[in-house]
Amino acid sequence: MTHAPHPRFAVVVVAAGSGTRLRGGGPKAFVALDDRSILHHALRGVFQARPVQVVIVVPAGLEATASDIARDAAEGDPLPVAIVAGGTTRQESVAAGLAVLHDGVDTVLIHDAARALAPAAVFERVIARVGAGALAVIPAVPVVDTIKRVDADGRVVAAVDRSELAAAQTPQAFRVGILRAALRGVDADHTDDAALVAAAGHDVVVVDGDAVAFKITTTSDLERARALLTTVPSASLPSPSVPVPRVGIGTDVHGFGGDGTLWLAGLEWPGERALSGHSDGDAVAHAIVDALLAAAGLGDIGTHFGTDRPEFAGAHAEAFLAHTVELLREAGWRVGNVSVQVQANRPRFAARRVEAERTLSAALGGAAVSVSATTTDGLGFTGRTEGVAAFATALVVPL
Ligand code: CTP
Ligand code: MG
């Protein structure tokens, strides 16, 4: 079986619009989504597709700013990036980008910077279709609303069959020669490149787009993109620039029978039987450590506090939690919050619950900690007062 050669493709990112509908206080591509701009996020997806050349088209005067953003988004990858000033229409900006394409490029993807969250998978689908022989390819999503044709007086003229409609997105891919020729012959302004190429008489084929590749046009689109950045699983977004919080779970059990007094949830409990364990047997603290490490993808308590670490023999919650916070920090995370539940007949937590929360929170650098306690109706080892179990969940947030 023979494979079509992988296209040598470049991406032209059009980012020269003024963003009049967004009213973001400046050109749209330079408006912040989180601590990064729309252009930065768009370029993350572009760079992941590994084009042979990236052309960024920006408003005149913003070339140096765009260059800084590109360097940041490339994260040290030496990708060939060219930056040029755009025109007064999107079509003119596309033409300005095409003008600086390298000779060896056979396929060009035109991408709106405003589709900042377009996933790498959309780029891959478009490129694969060109590789399979298509001359012009666009990603599109089905239209969900019922569409009406409306006249100038605001009267419905006709219903339009939704099943025949698709909403076009970018990146749109073209054999370079076809797009260049279509631009030369054009006598009207088209809002996308496929319309231009179709007007020149070429077939345009469709691959699946992605709802996440929507165009940021209005302030509500901007809010949607901002919300997505904190909630969408990282696998469907360009990574690793997208900061996504992560949760983790941890449990621990210790039996009564240790020496001295009980230590639990970071507190000393005079008069209560001690728990046994390599350290002080504080099942609450250990469950929290496991939950935090799991959330950050850093293994578990045995990875970092095993019996080969004599400095943690007999250590209390404070030492475990402080070291965990440090491990998280080194890996780029901070603690969001922690919730822990103790299952035990003794000690009785009601009177010291708030004190436990404060102590654990202080050990975690001030992150919120909730402690709850329950008994098990006399069932199981906790019901027989043989030991204590603790269950924790934790949220960690990128620094
Ligand atoms: N674009 C461009 N040059 C132009 C106009 C638009 O490069 N003269 C780019 C925009 O930067 C955007 C994409 O084309 O990434 C889609 O255009 P649109 O969403 O309309 O962006 P703006 O033109 O900036 O917004 P508006 O129409 O609200 O002013
Ligand atoms: Mg526009």
Side-chain angles (χ1 to χ4, degrees):
M1 192 176 137
T2 55
H3 291 275
H6 194 68
R8 281 182 57 80
F9 70 95
V11 182
V12 172
V13 180
V14 283
S18 54
T20 43
R21 287 169 289 181
L22 186 64
R23 295 194 303 271
K28 183 158 73 182
F30 298 82
V31 170
L33 271 186
D34 40 21
D35 55 338
R36 307 289 165 86
S37 61
I38 288 175
L39 180 59
H40 177 102
H41 284 281
L43 289 174
R44 290 288 312 147
V46 169
F47 289 149
Q48 276 188 7
R50 312 229 43 96
V52 295
Q53 187 189 9
V54 177
V55 180
I56 309 171
V57 189
V58 296
L62 285 172
E63 292 90 339
T65 311
S67 172
D68 289 344
I69 291 171
R71 199 175 313 114
D72 193 23
E75 292 179 349
D77 257 344
L79 281 172
V81 173
I83 298 174
V84 295
T88 50
T89 64
R90 183 182 180 285
Q91 201 164 289
E92 285 173 23
S93 295
V94 169
L98 287 185
V100 298
L101 282 189
H102 293 161
D103 285 345
V105 170
D106 56 47
T107 300
V108 63
L109 274 57
I110 311 292
H111 185 45
D112 290 338
R115 297 182 189 275
L117 303 185
V122 176
F123 285 81
E124 283 158 19
R125 281 197 285 274
V126 167
I127 294 158
R129 197 59 189 269
V130 174
L135 302 181
V137 183
I138 65 167
V141 289
V143 172
V144 290
D145 292 316
T146 295
I147 306 290
K148 310 282 186 208
R149 200 179 301 281
V150 179
D151 69 13
D153 302 326
R155 259 192 303 269
V156 172
V157 181
V160 182
D161 182 4
R162 177 170 73 194
S163 66
E164 289 181 359
L165 300 175
Q169 300 184 322
T170 73
Q172 303 188 347
F174 307 92
R175 302 295 286 187
V176 173
I178 285 179
L179 185 56
R180 280 213 171 104
L183 269 169
R184 270 197 303 272
V186 74
D187 52 10
D189 188 47
H190 298 275
T191 52
D192 79 352
D193 314 291
L196 185 81
V197 165
H202 298 286
D203 279 345
V204 178
V205 298
V206 173
V207 295
D208 285 343
D210 191 313
V212 172
F214 68 95
K215 184 159 73 72
I216 298 170
T217 305
T218 62
T219 46
S220 71
D221 297 329
L222 189 68
E223 290 315 315
R224 183 175 160 210
R226 285 175 174 164
L228 278 167
L229 278 180
T230 53
T231 56
V232 165
S234 53
S236 62
L237 284 172
S239 67
S241 75
V242 178
V244 180
R246 293 178 38 144
V247 295
I249 186 168
T251 69
D252 196 31
V253 166
H254 282 286
F256 290 116
D259 297 327
T261 53
L262 172 69
W263 282 84
L264 194 61
L267 303 179
E268 190 174 14
W269 301 77
E272 295 280 354
R273 288 171 67 200
L275 292 162
S276 63
H278 168 59
S279 62
D280 62 357
D282 189 335
V284 170
H286 299 173
I288 293 174
V289 169
D290 256 349
L292 288 167
L293 293 173
L298 294 174
D300 61 20
I301 196 162
T303 319
H304 301 281
F305 302 87
T307 43
D308 56 334
R309 299 290 300 268
E311 67 268 39
F312 290 107
H316 295 308
E318 200 186 340
F320 277 79
L321 296 176
H323 186 57
T324 305
V325 169
E326 185 57 25
L327 290 169
L328 258 58
R329 198 189 54 74
E330 282 166 13
W333 301 97
R334 68 178 172 81
V335 183
N337 77 301
V338 169
S339 173
V340 61
Q341 187 189 45
V342 194
Q343 279 186 11
N345 284 345
R346 300 208 58 85
R348 309 299 284 180
F349 260 85
R352 300 189 71 189
R353 198 176 55 77
V354 174
E355 193 189 347
E357 289 180 346
R358 287 212 187 105
T359 303
L360 294 168
S361 168
L364 290 175
V369 179
S370 312
V371 176
S372 59
T374 187
T375 56
T376 54
D377 212 12
L379 297 172
F381 69 90
T382 58
R384 294 188 298 270
T385 323
E386 292 168 5
V388 164
F391 307 87
T393 56
L395 183 80
V396 298
V397 184
L399 281 174

